[in-house]
Amino acid sequence: MISDAQERLPRLPRLIEQATATFTKRFAHPPKWVAIGPGRVNLIGEHVDYNDGFVLPMAIDRHIVIAAAPASARCALSATESLPQVPSHISRLASDGQEQLVEIDTTSAMKRSDPAWANYVRGVIAGFQDRGITVPTFDAMVVSDLPMGGGLSSSAAIEMATASLLEIMTGHFMSLAEKALLCQRAEHEFARVPCGIMDQFASAMGRRDHLLLLDCRSQQISHVPLQDDSIAVLIVNSNVRHELSDGGYAQRRSQCEQAAAMLGVSSLRDATMADLAAAESQMEPVNYRRARHVISEIQRTTEAAAAVEAAQWDDVGKAMYESHASLRDDFEVSCAELDLLVELARGISEGQASDVLRDSVIGCRMTGGGFGGCVVSLVKKHLASKVAAEISKRYELKTGIAATAFITRPADGAKAWLL
Ligand code: ADP
Ligand code: MG
């Protein structure tokens, strides 16, 4: 139960307090370090990361927080009936979102094991060990206000928080890019998810009031200010996930590769709309449409970044709606629920709900891999909660499913500190 005083605290400080209190309760000694990893949302640039394109994500004000202490801080008194003493080479890991207390022998090489959620942590420990860094034994408590599996990258957030924790714990610090790549590898090898670099880069390099324009080929980033105080980012989770997703992703990747081969380029990043038009008659129609999405989306993303910087909101909104249409029609990774959410946002902004909400939504699109998950919108800040309520109400009326909506802002990247 959160008291009134806590309710007034901003979200992250409250979560950090919760992490330290839960740690102490769970392990019967206080934490020494705290690490945070933000989730992320992608404003535009979808399904282009594996085509060497540009993406425009931001870290969000929703986090994984880990409170931790060295095993040496354990004392005999901390042994209780529910938490017996463990050998000094065994690390203990708990999460408020998971039942099981996990024991990890951090003095030996990491292996994938049960429970699956701890593999994100094991994978990051493995990355440190691969660099010859000794990881000491610790106790750690994970708390989070990020939905798990909701497309906001709680996986990258837990990896980046873990990597930041291990940096401060071991005294070995790395560049943000190296840390993000270490975490991407953890996700590939320990969670067996073949993700691109966007999630970890956004969680590592997020900056308050900035978007991140990431070139997935060169791995160069530039921060794009999103400082207009009248604009807010609204995320609405459809709370559906259609099972097609795994096979659908692999199939899209291979169709993009086939299209690139047909166009004689190593990736679709190097093809233009003119190249595509010239090759249309020789291409499988489905591969042609996949390529049309990717090539146009890369262009929309760089244009949208420039439009955000110039505060040309009509152009940003147009790019977001076009991105959604392209993902729906050409890339075929949307679903009825995501399409409905986008149409509700557009309709509300056209005045279908009330005149007060006319022009309240700048743009809206599905975000993430698709087949369910979230839509992201840019909205007028003073109307944001009314828009969220109206979209949720109409969505539930049409589908019978309760959506989850929240307003967020670009946040700083992962970090850790001594308490
Ligand atoms: P997303 O990254 O979109 O949230 P993923 O399926 O990639 O979805 O990652 C979700 C997984 O990350 C969870 O199934 C769980 O294993 C792990 N995870 C996320 N948040 C937590 C948490 N608070 N505690 C423990 N594990 C977590
Ligand atoms: Mg993930």
Side-chain angles (χ1 to χ4, degrees), residues 40 63-65 94-98 115-121 142-159 187 191 193 199 241:
R40 65 95 192 94
H63 296 83
I64 296 271
V65 175
S95 164
D96 68 346
Q98 306 287 337
W117 71 269
N119 284 330
Y120 296 92
V121 175
V142 178
V143 304
S144 168
D145 61 358
L146 264 171
M148 271 187 241
L152 300 175
S153 217
S154 65
S155 57
I158 195 169
E159 291 152 11
E187 183 136 352
V193 177
D199 300 354
R241 172 134 310 279

Side-chain angles (χ1 to χ4, degrees), residues 72-93:
S72 59
R74 294 173 190 157
C75 61
L77 279 178
S78 70
T80 65
E81 247 171 69
S82 61
L83 200 64
Q85 284 287 44
V86 284
S88 59
H89 67 287
I90 297 294
S91 289
R92 295 181 297 187
L93 179 66

Side-chain angles (χ1 to χ4, degrees), residues 102-300:
V102 186
E103 297 191 349
I104 301 177
D105 177 359
T106 31
T107 61
S108 59
M110 290 297 108
K111 287 198 205 74
R112 298 177 73 233
S113 183
D114 286 331
W117 71 269
N119 284 330
Y120 296 92
V121 175
R122 293 189 189 98
V124 175
I125 294 174
F128 276 70
Q129 291 176 333
D130 288 346
R131 287 164 174 74
I133 302 165
T134 304
V135 175
T137 314
F138 59 86
D139 288 337
M141 179 75 217
V142 178
V143 304
S144 168
D145 61 358
L146 264 171
M148 271 187 241
L152 300 175
S153 217
S154 65
S155 57
I158 195 169
E159 291 152 11
M160 288 304 307
T162 304
S164 304
L165 175 68
L166 294 185
E167 281 186 324
I168 197 163
M169 213 181 247
T170 62
H172 284 82
F173 293 85
M174 44 192 95
S175 71
L176 295 180
E178 184 181 2
K179 196 160 58 152
L181 292 170
L182 182 157
C183 289
Q184 183 202 21
R185 189 162 169 207
E187 183 136 352
H188 287 179
E189 294 181 358
F190 278 73
R192 300 272 159 88
V193 177
C195 56
I197 60 170
M198 173 171 71
D199 300 354
Q200 290 80 10
F201 269 64
S203 184
M205 297 175 195
R207 184 181 291 174
R208 193 184 164 133
D209 296 334
H210 288 77
L211 304 173
L212 211 82
L213 181 64
L214 168 61
D215 179 340
C216 297
R217 169 176 278 172
S218 68
Q219 300 181 353
Q220 294 298 307
I221 60 141
S222 51
H223 285 105
V224 179
L226 179 65
Q227 283 161 338
D228 187 328
D229 218 30
S230 65
I231 307 290
V233 178
L234 171 67
I235 295 172
V236 184
N237 194 337
S238 67
N239 286 329
V240 297
R241 172 134 310 279
H242 296 290
E243 277 317 317
L244 231 81
S245 47
D246 292 348
Y249 178 77
Q251 190 193 41
R252 297 303 181 287
R253 277 190 88 132
S254 110
Q255 288 163 336
C256 290
E257 282 161 21
Q258 288 168 33
M262 189 71 205
L263 293 167
V265 289
S266 63
S267 77
L268 289 175
R269 163 78 175 269
D270 294 322
T272 63
M273 286 304 240
D275 299 334
L276 186 66
E280 182 177 1
S281 60
Q282 297 125 58
M283 288 177 79
E284 293 269 348
V286 66
N287 289 353
Y288 170 80
R289 285 187 289 115
R290 302 300 188 243
R292 185 165 63 182
H293 165 70
V294 172
I295 298 168
S296 64
E297 183 79 353
I298 292 173
Q299 192 174 342
R300 271 190 295 275

